Each structure stands twice: as C-alpha cells, then as structure tokens.
Amino acid sequence: MHYTVVERELELTLILSPERSIPVPARLSYRSDDPYAVHVAFHVTSEHPVNWTFSRELLVEGVFRPCGHGDVRVWPRKSEGRSVVLMALSSPDGDALLEAPAAQVSAWLERTLRVVPPGYEGEQLGLDDALDQLLAQ
C-alpha cells in the first residue's frame, strides 16, 4: 500500500524553570496510513529518541486555543514577542514542558492537512475494502 510521509526537523525548547531552558532537536512525523496521529521524536541525550504519539486534531486545535487533558496538553502563547506552541507531556517517567515555534508547527500541519484533509482520515484506513472482503467470504 502506498502512503505519504510528512516530516519536519525543528528545535524545541525544554522549559526547566522560568529562568532555565535547553534546546531539544525534534522531528515531527505524519503518515497517511496512520491518519489520525502525529508522531514526535525528541532526540535527547541518548542513542534512542523519546517518541510520543498523539492526535493530529489535538495539535491543530492547540495552535489556536488551549486543548487536551491528561498526558498531552497543547496551547498557544506569545514568548518574547513571537508566537509559540506549548506542549505539556506527562508520563510515569516524568513531565516535560516544551515550546515550539508556532510558524514552523503550523506550516508542517498545513502540509499534513493537504495530504489527508480533516474528515477524510477514515478513507485512508481502507476499512470499507476490508469489510467488503470479509462479507464476500
């Protein structure tokens, strides 16, 4: 099966305190064969990146207004005169607050939305074809 991948390398900022933060290289990934999800790989100081997967819709909405609850929350903010998107991630291993440049995230999201427009995600999964095959047997 053919699918499309949309990726973007960017530098996020891990906010440790109001006075201290560190840069974190990251890769945003979207695959048309997994149309509801976005994947973020954080290349922290290990050989293996830390991977998070969450709803594309959550990230799209979070660029404009606060959203999410639980493990992933996203919201827009102005920081030093520029627009950013904050992502608060929680896991049993700890919590992280990351800041991303809003323009870069928005441009990447627009590319994903051109590949699979909102409301057409289900068509990418081939569920109708699979159901037809099951019923034909």
Side-chain angles (χ1 to χ4, degrees):
M1 178 179 192
H2 174 72
Y3 60 89
T4 302
V5 177
V6 180
E7 291 187 325
R8 172 75 194 237
E9 300 275 339
L10 71 154
E11 189 171 275
L12 303 181
T13 302
L14 176 62
I15 300 171
L16 302 171
S17 72
E19 303 83 29
R20 188 162 177 246
S21 61
I22 58 172
V24 177
R27 177 186 298 118
L28 301 173
S29 297
Y30 177 79
R31 294 172 50 130
S32 61
D33 65 335
D34 188 9
Y36 292 102
V38 294
H39 307 274
V40 185
F42 303 102
H43 304 280
V44 292
T45 57
S46 68
E47 288 186 30
H48 305 286
V50 174
N51 296 296
W52 276 78
T53 301
F54 49 90
S55 161
R56 176 176 71 163
E57 184 179 349
L58 176 73
L59 189 55
V60 168
E61 186 176 337
V63 168
F64 298 103
R65 70 188 66 74
C67 65
H69 51 57
D71 294 345
V72 179
R73 293 178 294 120
V74 183
W75 66 97
R77 187 174 88 178
K78 291 282 187 187
S79 176
E80 298 175 3
R82 60 188 179 92
S83 296
V84 297
V85 177
L86 292 173
M87 293 180 279
L89 308 175
S90 298
S91 79
D93 295 326
D95 300 327
L97 179 60
L98 294 140
E99 181 182 278
Q104 292 179 18
V105 172
S106 295
W108 175 78
L109 282 169
E110 285 177 21
R111 289 175 49 212
T112 75
L113 295 169
R114 283 194 298 271
V115 170
V116 179
Y120 289 88
E121 294 91 349
E123 293 178 16
Q124 301 299 310
L125 300 175
L127 295 178
D128 290 336
D129 293 338
L131 186 57
D132 288 344
Q133 288 176 356
L134 279 173
L135 294 175
Q137 296 175 0

